[in-house]
Amino acid sequence: MKAAVLSHETDFDGWRRAARGFRQAGVAPGDAVFRVGDAGGGLFDDALPPSAVEPVFGVPKAFVDLAGEVILHRSIDRFDLMYRLLWRLRDEPDLMKVVTDIDVADALERAKNVSRASHKMKAFVRFRQVEDHDGERWVAWFEPAHRVLEKTAPFFVRRYTSMRWSILTPDGSAFWDGDALTAGPPATRDMAPAEDEIEEFWKTYYASTFNPARLKTKTMQGEMPKRYWKNLPEAALIPELVAQSAVRTDAMVATPAAQPNQRLAKTLSRMNRDHSFDEGFVPSTLEELGQAVQACRRCPLWRHATQGVCGEGPRQARLMIVGEQPGDQEDLAGRPFVGPAGGVLDAALAEAGIDRDDVFVTNAVKHFKHEPRGKRRIHKTPLVSEVSACRWWLDAERRLVKPKVILTMGATAALGVLNRKVTVTKERGEAIAQPDGAKMLLTVHPSYLLRLPDEASRASERGRFIDDLRRVRRLL
Ligand code: URA
């Protein structure tokens, strides 16, 4: 029996050198042992000739790449499996192409597990804010299914380049100070902070995006395996949300859409037909405006919407926030931002220190534009002509409320206010003076945060969104 001592659990270079040496010396897989421990005793228990550590035959790159992944797997026989493959490669040079081979299939499966663990780490790491002697630092505790910290840390560097952060795991730690990524020793859970106010955000965010009608428990557990729940603040809500889902779905189905004022709608519809609408009608209150919009025929969107949805908030609000158009839930409720995007907006406003009750919240377009897909109504972006037609209503709201600051969320909202096409990323953060004296700022739409594919980018973009709201607050 020959033993090689590797310096740590993911010592790929050490394994490679040892495996080459074993292969050269003709040590068969059953006789080669790889141990992780103190390398002080030498690479091999029984020393091999120095020439043995040189490469002796070429191996395909696919093998080297696969070995690099498999070695991160937590199974204790991972080194042996890869050595067995290396042993066989000399006589079976095309072995790596035989995906049905038992060893190849096993290695591919383990590599897949490793890749999945890395993906889960990107999705489920939750940073908590702490103060250290250099200021703000973000610390996360995470228990990856396999040893993927080193492999995955560069992702967090790219994602959170400007933050100082630490990721602590039972295998080791990664520290980023804004310039350099360094590795640290294994950690324990109590070394990371347990809670902060971000906790509440995740809960609000999760609860508002949880749609009971779309619950598929199996898929959910596949995407968000239970082993990660203990470090996810929002996971505390899952059992209750799942338990209530049937009742909530029934309630959603049973709730009729809020009815517009039929009498006024009829009158205004007649006015509209008589062409007296555009010229003569000037709403003098927000209530009148909200009822009058039910008769709007300025563009075809009214045909398929339940009702027009005007803005909501104090008549003398200093801040007006403009979204794109009502979504599915807003169309049914007759109120803006009451669905998932509204949940994200509310939580972010609270975090920026803005009370939604002080804000007039509205949309550039007042009717829900959508197309049917099965039983669902899928959002469609309004055309420029539809936004232009609806500006009449937005302008009327602006005249009545006279906000000091207008925040537009997304390109359609900015088009509605500015009457020109806008690239949000280019003009974000600038205060644009308006003819009526108001200052306008642009930011992204909260639905954009909901659509981001992973939790990490959502957290970082959400941070920027809250910064924009804080800027708005300072302007007020
Ligand atoms: N998205 C919007 O732009 N507005 C709403 O009211 C809801 C979702």
Side-chain angles (χ1 to χ4, degrees):
M1 194 67 85
K2 299 274 183 196
V5 182
L6 309 180
S7 62
H8 52 86
E9 295 283 358
T10 55
D11 181 10
F12 181 53
D13 291 339
W15 173 83
R16 264 179 107 178
R17 263 183 285 126
R20 278 185 199 137
F22 283 152
R23 187 66 186 91
Q24 170 70 347
V27 181
D31 295 330
V33 177
F34 298 90
R35 274 209 309 261
V36 176
D38 182 0
L43 190 58
F44 298 101
D45 283 358
D46 296 339
L48 291 169
S51 62
V53 298
E54 296 305 318
V56 283
F57 67 97
V59 292
K61 181 170 180 306
F63 170 78
V64 180
D65 292 346
L66 185 63
E69 293 283 293
V70 171
I71 275 164
L72 308 182
H73 199 272
R74 284 201 193 276
S75 47
I76 45 171
D77 63 341
R78 63 198 182 285
F79 297 120
D80 306 329
L81 168 66
M82 294 318 289
Y83 182 59
R84 206 157 53 242
L85 278 170
L86 177 72
W87 177 266
R88 293 178 57 196
L89 269 172
R90 178 141 79 182
D91 300 326
E92 302 170 67
D94 287 331
L95 177 61
M96 297 313 296
K97 296 188 186 134
V98 189
V99 293
T100 50
D101 177 271
I102 190 155
D103 287 335
V104 175
D106 188 356
L108 288 172
E109 180 63 27
R110 293 190 210 197
K112 203 163 107 194
N113 295 339
V114 166
S115 160
R116 187 173 154 82
S118 171
H119 174 76
K120 294 293 173 211
M121 182 165 185
K122 291 174 192 169
F124 296 137
V125 158
R126 295 281 183 277
F127 289 101
R128 272 113 180 160
Q129 194 177 6
V130 296
E131 288 289 319
D132 65 13
H133 47 274
D134 292 323
E136 186 181 87
R137 172 172 281 278
W138 295 81
V139 181
W141 165 250
F142 191 71
E143 293 166 66
H146 298 285
R147 296 187 179 92
V148 291
L149 175 64
E150 200 181 333
K151 169 185 165 71
T152 318
F155 164 85
F156 291 98
V157 171
R158 287 192 300 278
R159 186 68 76 197
Y160 303 117
T161 314
S162 58
M163 285 159 52
R164 296 167 62 243
W165 53 256
S166 312
I167 301 177
L168 312 181
T169 83
D171 307 315
S173 319
F175 305 102
W176 173 251
D177 63 4
D179 282 323
L181 181 66
T182 46
T188 50
R189 179 198 267 269
D190 57 341
M191 292 161 85
E195 285 197 354
D196 69 359
E197 75 263 22
I198 298 264
E199 224 80 345
E200 281 315 304
F201 166 77
W202 284 112
K203 287 188 185 160
T204 312
Y205 173 83
Y206 189 77
S208 67
T209 57
F210 180 90
N211 184 341
R214 298 207 187 134
L215 174 66
K216 288 200 183 86
T217 318
K218 266 212 177 117
T219 314
M220 188 178 91
Q221 287 192 3
E223 287 303 311
M224 198 178 183
K226 275 200 168 165
R227 68 188 310 277
Y228 298 110
W229 286 19
K230 57 181 179 297
N231 296 320
L232 299 176
E234 66 271 31
L237 303 176
I238 294 176
E240 201 183 335
L241 288 171
V242 171
Q244 291 170 354
S245 65
V247 176
R248 282 182 61 198
T249 308
D250 289 350
M252 275 165 78
V253 172
T255 308
Q259 286 302 310
N261 178 329
Q262 297 295 342
R263 189 184 52 78
L264 187 74
K266 256 196 208 147
T267 314
L268 290 169
S269 167
R270 198 176 54 243
M271 285 165 70
N272 200 28
R273 230 182 19 243
D274 299 344
H275 304 289
S276 52
F277 185 81
D278 288 5
E279 298 78 27
F281 177 69
V282 179
S284 55
T285 65
L286 290 170
E287 291 69 37
E288 202 174 17
L289 185 105
Q291 293 174 337
V293 79
Q294 309 311 336
C296 182
R297 304 292 183 263
R298 292 174 162 266
C299 80
L301 292 187
W302 65 273
R303 286 180 196 281
H304 302 291
T306 308
Q307 59 192 312
V309 180
C310 275
E312 181 178 86
R315 163 80 154 77
Q316 293 183 328
R318 290 159 59 79
L319 171 61
M320 175 180 279
I321 295 186
V322 185
E324 184 196 65
Q325 60 168 353
D328 184 76
Q329 297 195 30
E330 289 79 12
D331 169 80
L332 296 173
R335 297 177 51 210
F337 283 100
V338 292
V344 174
L345 175 64
D346 288 353
L349 280 171
E351 210 163 313
I354 299 174
D355 188 344
R356 174 160 169 173
D357 290 345
D358 294 339
V359 183
F360 189 84
V361 179
T362 190
N363 284 299
V365 169
K366 309 299 187 207
H367 284 106
F368 177 35
K369 181 171 182 179
H370 58 276
E371 62 186 10
R373 196 170 301 158
K375 286 186 188 158
R376 293 167 58 199
R377 304 189 297 171
I378 305 297
H379 160 278
K380 276 188 88 178
T381 305
L383 301 173
V384 173
S385 59
E386 290 157 349
V387 178
S388 298
C390 220
R391 191 169 297 111
W392 192 90
W393 297 102
L394 183 60
D395 285 347
E397 287 176 324
R398 287 175 65 179
R399 271 197 307 277
L400 288 170
V401 179
K402 299 189 182 61
K404 300 272 169 301
V405 179
I406 301 174
L407 177 71
T408 59
M409 302 190 300
T412 304
L415 170 68
V417 171
L418 291 176
N419 195 11
R420 66 173 167 83
K421 281 208 169 181
V422 167
T423 308
V424 175
T425 44
K426 279 199 191 135
E427 301 194 37
R428 185 175 191 175
E430 281 174 39
I432 304 172
Q434 293 296 290
D436 60 2
K439 288 199 177 90
M440 179 203 148
L441 276 102
L442 295 88
T443 188
V444 294
H445 195 282
S447 313
Y448 161 74
L449 304 178
L450 289 171
R451 281 195 306 268
L452 287 168
D454 58 90
E455 300 286 2
S457 46
R458 278 203 284 261
S460 123
E461 282 301 310
R462 179 186 153 269
R464 293 187 65 201
F465 184 60
I466 292 169
D467 285 347
D468 288 341
L469 292 175
R470 291 201 176 112
R471 191 167 301 128
V472 162
R473 198 178 135 199
R474 285 196 293 275
L475 277 181
L476 290 169

